[in-house]
Amino acid sequence: MPAKAVLSRVGDKWSVLIVIALRGGPLRFNEIKRACGTISQRMLTLSLRGMERDGFVSRKVTPTNPPRVDYELTPLGHSLRGPVEALGQWAYQNHAAILAAQAAFDARAPE
Amino acid sequence: MPAKAVLSRVGDKWSVLIVIALRGGPLRFNEIKRACGTISQRMLTLSLRGMERDGFVSRKVTPTNPPRVDYELTPLGHSLRGPVEALGQWAYQNHAAILAAQAAFDARAPE
DNA sequence: CAGTATCCTGCACGATACTG
DNA sequence: CAGTATCGTGCAGGATACTG
């Protein structure tokens, strides 16, 4: 299944947020961390590694002191924005319907 | 975050497969089960319940003996197909690039 | 600053068995 | 056939501490 890698990334909440965060251009490690709201260092590192491995982000190290590391979406990563943002679009337009459906369902099945 | 419900569904491998499976029309419980390849009864039930709650699928019981239960995408569920299939499209078109990126990455970072 | 290393916990999920 | 109930467990992921 070739879509597995994609789904495992898109399914990963953090990866999606990172794609969104990097949409405007490169960011440093801690900038991404802040942009993601609440993400542990561990998960951020892991997510970035995975996305780098998949070719979605590039990592550029500037060995100053203190070190500076910039992450940026690759062309491949940018092309992912299309589908991902389409999904976001859909979520935005339909979340009211979803909430209504949930409320109706829960009213039918109390407890 | 309104997109949370959507992402938690799209992130769920099984839910995606179910949407795909139901794209052609209603299916019975075990038909979906077979269509999903290998999914446990438990996960199928849980996924279907969740999707029903979100208003993505409808459940129609025909109380014969043995009982017959058909699941079908609601209009909301069908509208989800657009973004989801766009993602599938993207995955299909780019999986070669992803595999290449992974191979290159792994070559650079052995072990 | 940008990580790595370790420990610890919950719960996501599979396997199995029972029921209307 | 279409579920519910129960048990066992692997590992995703948070918290914390240390390093170049």
Side-chain angles (χ1 to χ4, degrees):
Chain A
M1 197 202 249
K4 215 190 66 179
V6 176
L7 280 188
S8 66
R9 289 277 135 231
V10 174
D12 181 13
K13 166 189 180 182
W14 298 126
S15 298
V16 173
L17 290 180
I18 291 171
V19 168
I20 301 299
L22 291 178
R23 106 166 96 186
L27 288 180
R28 305 180 55 176
F29 186 86
N30 277 335
E31 290 173 335
I32 300 175
K33 189 164 191 291
R34 265 171 246 123
C36 286
T38 169
I39 182 178
S40 60
Q41 273 183 5
R42 183 185 139 80
M43 286 319 291
L44 181 54
T45 304
L46 255 49
S47 298
L48 285 172
R49 284 284 179 281
M51 295 173 74
E52 190 192 356
R53 189 175 112 94
D54 291 344
F56 296 161
V57 301
S58 62
R59 181 170 180 272
K60 198 176 65 180
V61 182
T62 313
T64 56
N65 194 326
R68 175 195 184 92
V69 182
D70 287 277
Y71 291 91
E72 184 177 14
L73 287 182
T74 61
L76 185 62
H78 266 107
S79 77
L80 221 200
R81 285 177 51 204
V84 165
E85 289 173 3
L87 210 61
Q89 219 24 40
W90 188 94
Y92 177 72
Q93 285 164 355
N94 296 96
H95 75 271
I98 294 175
L99 289 179
Q102 292 177 345
F105 184 93
D106 293 346
R108 217 168 291 123
E111 250 48 33
Chain B
M1 198 200 249
K4 214 189 66 179
V6 177
L7 280 189
S8 64
R9 289 276 136 230
V10 174
D12 181 12
K13 165 190 181 182
W14 299 125
S15 298
V16 173
L17 289 181
I18 291 171
V19 168
I20 301 300
L22 292 178
R23 107 166 94 184
L27 288 181
R28 304 180 58 175
F29 187 85
N30 278 335
E31 290 174 335
I32 300 174
K33 190 165 191 291
R34 264 171 248 124
C36 285
T38 169
I39 181 176
S40 60
Q41 273 182 4
R42 182 176 188 276
M43 286 318 292
L44 180 54
T45 304
L46 255 50
S47 298
L48 284 173
R49 284 283 179 282
M51 294 172 75
E52 190 191 354
R53 189 176 112 94
D54 290 344
F56 296 160
V57 301
S58 62
R59 182 171 180 272
K60 197 176 63 179
V61 182
T62 311
T64 56
N65 194 330
R68 174 194 185 94
V69 182
D70 287 278
Y71 291 91
E72 184 176 15
L73 287 181
T74 62
L76 185 61
H78 266 107
S79 77
L80 221 199
R81 285 178 50 203
V84 164
E85 290 173 3
L87 210 60
Q89 217 26 39
W90 188 94
Y92 177 72
Q93 285 163 357
N94 296 96
H95 76 271
I98 294 176
L99 289 179
Q102 290 177 346
F105 184 93
D106 293 346
R108 216 169 290 121
E111 253 47 33

